[in-house]
Amino acid sequence: MPAPQVKSKWRPPLALIVYSVLLSIMALPIISIIWFRATDSAASLTTTTEAGALLVVLLVTIAVAYVLSRNITGPINALISRSDDIARGGRSAIQPLESYGTREVATLSQSFLDLASKLVDRSEYVRSFAVHVSHELKSPLTSIRGAAELMRDDDDEQPMTRAERQRFLDNIITDTKRLDLLLARLRELAYAEVPMPAGQINVMELARMLQDRFSGYVITASGEVAVQIALPLEAALVVFGNLAENAFQNGATHLALDVQTDGRSVYVLVSDNGSGILQANRERIFQPFFSTRRQNGGTGMGLEIARTMLASHGADITLHETSGDGTVFRITALRGEL
């Protein structure tokens, strides 16, 4: 969808307005003096002193107009130039200006830089994500196509055995299930991108809901469990549900939620007693589609969905160092209203 276009018509530049306003203000006393001199037949039109004073006022007015123009229109024109460079894909243009002039222009420039950085990062993320998605979908599709072609080209003289046909059918069903799971995860990720209505929940309630969902495991809560966390119920269940599912799929039998607060921030340590994460994989676990359980149906999207969901509510998730077995994640969120 193309961007809406501003209606093209002549508009005065800011510099012209500044000069015109200041010169108009200066012209008022000049016109008054001339008018009074003209109506007073006994007085000369202007004296040398008055003319000199008016000249000084004119020069001061022009100097003031120049300063205003330099400190306002200059940075604004620089921002316009930067916007054009960024629109053409110039990431190097995302850097502070040499001069801002006023506090308001500096604030506007910082907002512009923040927005431009987010847009460029988002564009790169979408490009990388599209490559990952196409790769993840290509593997099962290729497998399904190969199995279907072999079954289609089955030779009547040397037909497949029942076991071979069953194996190909099982492969097709397995790959279609993987495609269904990938598409479901993609829908969850798209859902996570859309901010939910504001809500809040405490860890005591959350632990109880998770225990009902994962009844075969032990889920405990400790610390300031009654503190309200600024996360809607649906978002909290998606985030903590993904963490719990990952933990239990990696051999954990116990998931512990420990809550601490610091002013307006709430920290939730989510720890398990599973097999943990190898040191070589710790830098990659938040990459989309990275999974150590690919052979068992893992999509590698659970943590990406959790992080995206948290980010849409001003929260974050990080991986903590652990001294022994198990995994510890730290979720930082805002404190809810009392």
Side-chain angles (χ1 to χ4, degrees):
M1 179 179 176
Q5 298 296 310
V6 177
K7 186 177 180 180
S8 178
K9 65 177 184 179
W10 185 85
R11 295 179 176 85
L14 182 58
L16 177 61
I17 295 176
V18 170
Y19 278 90
S20 299
V21 169
L22 290 177
L23 289 174
S24 298
I25 294 175
M26 193 207 80
L28 292 177
I30 296 177
I31 295 174
S32 300
I33 292 174
I34 294 175
W35 185 81
F36 281 115
R37 292 295 185 181
T39 55
D40 186 359
S41 58
S44 60
L45 189 59
T46 56
T47 65
T48 303
T49 303
E50 290 172 343
L54 292 177
L55 179 60
V56 171
V57 171
L58 175 62
L59 294 176
V60 171
T61 302
I62 293 176
V64 172
Y66 172 77
V67 171
L68 290 176
S69 175
R70 179 180 176 83
N71 287 278
I72 296 177
T73 60
I76 290 177
N77 287 332
L79 278 179
I80 294 173
S81 177
R82 293 287 174 85
S83 300
D84 293 338
D85 291 341
I86 294 171
R88 290 191 293 268
R91 188 182 180 92
S92 60
I94 305 178
Q95 55 182 325
L97 302 177
E98 295 180 358
S99 174
Y100 294 107
T102 66
R103 180 185 304 172
E104 290 76 12
V105 174
T107 302
L108 174 63
S109 299
Q110 186 60 57
S111 299
F112 166 78
L113 292 175
D114 292 341
L115 177 60
S117 297
K118 289 180 180 178
L119 289 176
V120 171
D121 290 342
R122 187 64 180 166
S123 176
E124 293 177 352
Y125 169 79
V126 170
R127 188 183 303 111
S128 174
F129 189 80
V131 172
H132 284 298
V133 169
S134 61
H135 175 74
E136 290 295 320
L137 294 179
K138 183 178 180 180
S139 297
L141 285 174
T142 301
S143 177
I144 291 173
R145 180 179 179 179
E149 289 177 346
L150 287 173
M151 295 179 68
R152 182 196 63 187
D153 300 335
D154 186 19
D155 191 350
D156 292 336
E157 295 181 1
Q158 293 181 337
M160 291 182 181
T161 64
R162 181 178 179 82
E164 290 175 332
R165 183 176 295 275
Q166 186 63 42
R167 177 164 57 85
F168 284 130
L169 290 173
D170 289 341
N171 289 341
I172 291 175
I173 293 174
T174 300
D175 287 327
T176 55
K177 287 181 178 179
R178 176 165 177 76
L179 287 175
D180 283 340
L181 182 58
L182 281 170
L183 293 175
R185 290 297 196 183
L186 288 173
R187 286 193 296 270
E188 289 181 8
L189 184 59
Y191 181 63
E193 294 278 356
V194 180
M196 297 181 181
Q200 55 188 25
I201 189 173
N202 62 57
V203 169
M204 183 63 74
E205 299 175 79
L206 184 61
R208 185 175 65 252
M209 294 179 184
L210 291 175
Q211 186 66 78
D212 292 339
R213 177 177 170 182
F214 301 97
S215 57
Y217 303 93
V218 178
I219 298 177
T220 59
S222 60
E224 302 177 54
V225 295
V227 171
Q228 295 294 321
I229 303 175
L231 279 177
L233 173 61
E234 297 84 355
L237 288 176
V238 169
V239 171
F240 288 89
N242 272 318
L243 294 179
E245 185 175 353
N246 285 345
F248 298 141
Q249 287 177 348
N250 285 278
T253 58
H254 177 212
L255 187 75
L257 310 178
D258 182 61
V259 187
Q260 303 296 329
T261 61
D262 181 10
R264 290 289 299 160
S265 298
V266 180
Y267 306 101
V268 183
L269 291 180
V270 184
S271 55
D272 63 62
N273 62 343
S275 57
I277 300 174
L278 295 176
Q279 190 66 34
N281 294 332
R282 294 181 68 85
E283 297 296 328
R284 305 175 60 192
I285 61 168
F286 286 106
Q287 294 178 5
F289 302 106
F290 173 75
S291 175
T292 58
R293 299 183 53 260
R294 190 170 300 278
Q295 299 303 322
N296 297 324
T299 62
M301 295 182 64
L303 287 176
E304 175 65 14
I305 292 171
R307 185 169 63 173
T308 302
M309 185 77 74
L310 288 169
S312 67
H313 294 281
D316 190 22
I317 180 172
T318 55
L319 177 64
H320 257 214
E321 291 289 343
T322 55
S323 56
D325 293 335
T327 305
V328 180
F329 288 97
R330 177 178 178 176
I331 293 176
T332 303
L334 296 175
R335 188 167 185 163
E337 299 296 332
L338 297 177

